[in-house]
Every structure is written in structure tokens, then in C-alpha cells.
Amino acid sequence: LSIKVFKIFYAFDIAIKQARKKMKMTQEELAKRAGTRKSNISRLESGSYNPSLDFLIKIAKGLGKDVHIEIR
């Protein structure tokens, strides 16, 4: 991955964790809402997971959020 793509995923990882904690939601609860396993949420938040766009959308929806992509 390029450095720019890595920074995007890192920023997303941080945003997911912050949103989850702000909602006082556990990784387990988010995993259930997103239709995945807790281990995937943990790996995503730690930055050790290279998620697909579909996965990111599922996670965002589990948090009641949307994903917006901008190309410049």
C-alpha cells in the first residue's frame, strides 16, 4: 500500500474506535451490528487489518454512520 492509502486506513481506524467508544459500544456489539467477528474489529482498530470498502461500509453502518469517498 502507498503511504497515502495507509494514512487513510489509519485515520479510518481511529475514527471507528473513537465513534464506538463515544457510543459506549463494545467491539463485540459493533461486530454483531456489522455482521462480523470481534477479532476483525480488534484488528481494524489496531491497524493490522487491510479492510475492503464493503467491510468499511458495514462497520460504518453498525455505528449508524456513512462512508464518504472524495477523489481530488
Side-chain angles (χ1 to χ4, degrees), residues 11-35:
F12 191 85
D13 300 346
I14 291 171
I16 290 295
K17 188 173 186 176
Q18 288 176 345
R20 180 181 63 76
K21 287 189 170 191
K22 185 176 182 179
M23 296 173 70
K24 299 186 186 319
M25 186 185 302
T26 65
Q27 289 181 343
E28 185 70 35
E29 184 177 353
L30 177 55
K32 286 179 185 176
R33 288 182 179 204

Side-chain angles (χ1 to χ4, degrees), residues 9-10 15 30 42 46 52 57:
F9 282 132
Y10 182 71
L30 177 55
S42 178
S46 71
S52 68
I57 291 169

Side-chain angles (χ1 to χ4, degrees), residues 12 16 19 23 25 29-35 53-67:
F12 191 85
I16 290 295
M23 296 173 70
M25 186 185 302
E29 184 177 353
L30 177 55
K32 286 179 185 176
R33 288 182 179 204
L53 181 56
D54 287 339
F55 183 76
L56 296 178
I57 291 169
K58 285 180 182 181
I59 298 302
K61 284 184 178 183
L63 291 166
K65 308 284 183 187
D66 294 314
V67 173

